[in-house]
Amino acid sequence: MRTRILTGVTTTGIPHLGNYVGAIRPAIEASKAPDADAFLFLADYHALIKCGEPERLQSSRLAIAATWLAAGLDPERVTFYRQSDIPEISELCWLLTCVTAKGLMNRAHAYKASVDQNVAENLEPDAGITMGLFSYPVLMAADILMFNAHKVPVGRDQIQHIEMARDIAQRFSHLYGNGKELFTLPEALIEDSVATLPGLDGRKMSKSYNNTIPLFEGGRKLLKDTIGRVVTDSRLPGEPKDAETSQLYTIFRAFASDDEAAAFRQQLEGGMGWGDAKAALFERLERDIAPMRERYESLIARPDEIDDILLEGARKARELARPLMATLRDAVGLGSMRAGSGAAAKAGKKKAARQARFVSFREADGTFRFRFVAADGEALLLSDTYADAQTAGAAIKHLQAQPDLAENLLLDELGFTVSLDGHVVARGGPFATSEARDAARDKLLAELRSLSAAG
């Protein structure tokens, strides 16, 4: 089975050297693995949250697409598309929005950080916060769930969004799946080994610090001039340099072979001057970057060709998106009303076919619980809390496997408990009278037997 890996790139800037080493190069290498089914998209809807300049957004989309292609992305192997070319993503985003709790969005890191900053500046908590920023995790969930991605490479600050996508997917399936999971639950792929390049001032290379080294922008001359501005210490030619604390050496090592890096380190420790070191770094970078830059400039000059590549990627992506959306539309009641089709044909049957079910959910404190709900919608059992969804799911399977739950059921004054292996796992009640308690117990046992027979 091939592993589907999905990556999105926000189109709000021009890629720099740090982007290439930290994201572009490793993603392209990973896409070449025989078992990889790679999806890469330009997250231009996400860009609208941060960027209100149409010209900048348009130029960034072109530059980022050309950069990935010039760096070796093979659109025959990778499904490469613009988010905005897949209308099913917007539709799915709305379906997911309609089942997503506002409380879940209140806990999103980006939203909380914006609120905290406003409060620190004595502003209204939601000043300047748009619904795009607030509901950003739902759109990200739609990006991922639309193509049933198995793994999503993210930084540690994005793990929460993958967890939210899982929560939203599970809630949607519980509400509309009739016992089936409608989505693949994604996993965050954390790559701690991904290189982080220092910028001109020694801090992490980032546009927000204005310390980046260009990848293709400005050509050979700007690359050389920018490397010349890398901050170094005051040691003179002939004095030994500390390679481990030099950003020149760190950047050189990200492009060089082990032998090349060792030789450069030896030269620094032997007293190489900073000017010569910068010249050596430039020449080593140029050896890799020059051929890619030539392809980049050729692609930028032919935007129609890039557009065609992205539209072909969108065509491939929509071959997967359209049938899934048809299934989801039927599930929520938006399918065709023609006789004999979709939900319209099954509407009468579904009510009769409705059966008892276990429903898992997540509490505000992050713990997990489940209910057992009768076919008529009455909640008959509520579980104790579990630290994770897997443990809660195991308890459900254990309950379903009991041949006769009556042996595990203990009545108290106005309720009952269900135990497994000597531990209470769920409770019913309290009820108004002992008669109501007994009726609920009998109903519970009958519904469980019915569910077992149907399974």
Side-chain angles (χ1 to χ4, degrees), residues 84-167:
S84 58
D85 284 333
I86 315 294
E88 291 81 7
I89 290 175
S90 301
E91 184 175 4
L92 176 57
C93 181
W94 180 248
L95 296 188
L96 298 179
T97 298
C98 291
V99 305
T100 300
K102 179 178 179 291
L104 183 65
M105 294 297 97
N106 287 342
R107 297 191 291 275
H109 295 326
Y111 172 65
K112 288 174 65 178
S114 296
V115 169
D116 290 345
Q117 183 176 342
N118 283 338
V119 171
E121 296 174 359
N122 294 317
L123 300 172
E124 288 292 323
D126 286 325
I129 296 175
T130 65
M131 284 304 298
L133 173 64
F134 182 71
S135 58
Y136 163 85
V138 186
L139 179 55
M140 184 170 173
D143 293 325
I144 298 166
L145 301 176
M146 184 81 266
F147 300 108
N148 285 314
H150 300 108
K151 295 186 181 296
V152 184
V154 291
R156 292 196 174 276
D157 60 332
Q158 292 279 312
I159 293 176
Q160 185 197 43
H161 290 148
I162 307 304
E163 293 174 346
M164 285 180 164
R166 292 172 62 92
D167 288 346

Side-chain angles (χ1 to χ4, degrees), residues 149-430:
H150 300 108
K151 295 186 181 296
V152 184
V154 291
R156 292 196 174 276
D157 60 332
Q158 292 279 312
I159 293 176
Q160 185 197 43
H161 290 148
I162 307 304
E163 293 174 346
M164 285 180 164
R166 292 172 62 92
D167 288 346
I168 294 168
Q170 288 175 312
R171 178 165 174 76
F172 190 95
S173 292
H174 286 145
L175 290 172
Y176 297 114
N178 286 319
K180 295 181 180 179
E181 294 295 333
L182 297 171
F183 303 104
T184 297
L185 297 183
E187 295 180 7
L189 182 62
I190 308 299
E191 297 190 12
D192 290 322
S193 60
V194 169
T196 300
L197 290 191
L200 302 179
D201 55 5
R203 292 182 294 176
K204 175 185 176 182
M205 192 178 297
S206 170
K207 290 188 288 290
S208 61
Y209 296 147
N210 194 29
N211 68 350
T212 61
I213 296 175
L215 181 59
F216 302 138
E217 187 183 18
R220 175 187 173 94
K221 183 179 186 307
L222 184 58
L223 177 63
K224 186 174 184 178
D225 291 347
T226 307
I227 291 173
R229 293 192 287 112
V230 173
V231 174
T232 56
D233 61 34
S234 59
R235 278 175 272 198
L236 300 173
E239 293 184 76
K241 314 298 188 295
D242 183 0
E244 287 302 321
T245 61
S246 167
Q247 52 260 45
L248 295 177
Y249 175 68
T250 302
I251 298 169
F252 189 97
R253 189 172 54 190
F255 285 82
S257 67
D258 290 343
D259 288 344
E260 289 173 327
F264 187 59
R265 179 181 188 132
Q266 187 174 20
Q267 288 175 308
L268 287 171
E269 293 174 347
M272 181 187 228
W274 288 126
D276 290 339
K278 291 177 179 180
L281 174 60
F282 166 71
E283 291 299 335
R284 183 59 192 84
L285 294 183
E286 184 67 4
R287 204 164 81 207
D288 283 3
I289 292 174
M292 294 189 291
R293 186 192 302 122
E294 185 177 349
R295 293 193 295 272
Y296 173 83
E297 291 172 351
S298 175
L299 284 162
I300 282 286
R302 305 194 311 276
D304 288 356
E305 184 175 321
I306 295 177
D307 205 52
D308 287 343
I309 290 170
L310 291 168
L311 289 173
E312 173 58 20
R315 184 195 64 77
K316 290 194 297 183
R318 294 193 70 194
E319 286 180 356
L320 297 172
R322 279 193 291 261
L324 176 59
M325 277 311 306
T327 298
L328 300 179
R329 287 174 66 89
D330 271 349
V332 301
L334 296 178
S336 171
M337 290 186 286
R338 292 179 179 275
S341 68
K346 301 173 186 175
K349 298 179 184 177
K350 278 189 177 179
K351 187 173 181 180
R354 190 81 170 168
Q355 61 181 17
R357 62 205 180 278
F358 287 94
V359 178
S360 300
F361 60 96
R362 191 173 190 172
E363 293 282 19
D365 63 1
T367 58
F368 291 83
R369 305 179 83 168
F370 61 83
R371 291 189 180 92
F372 181 71
V373 181
D376 62 4
E378 181 183 0
L380 298 174
L381 279 180
L382 175 64
S383 78
D384 285 358
T385 58
Y386 295 88
D388 55 72
Q390 290 76 18
T391 308
I396 291 173
K397 289 182 180 179
H398 199 166
L399 280 173
Q400 291 173 318
Q402 296 303 309
D404 187 355
L405 197 65
E407 298 176 3
N408 306 82
L409 193 149
L410 179 65
L411 298 178
D412 56 36
E413 186 176 358
L414 291 176
F416 48 80
T417 59
V418 176
S419 299
L420 293 175
D421 301 327
H423 300 286
V424 174
V425 295
R427 306 168 193 272

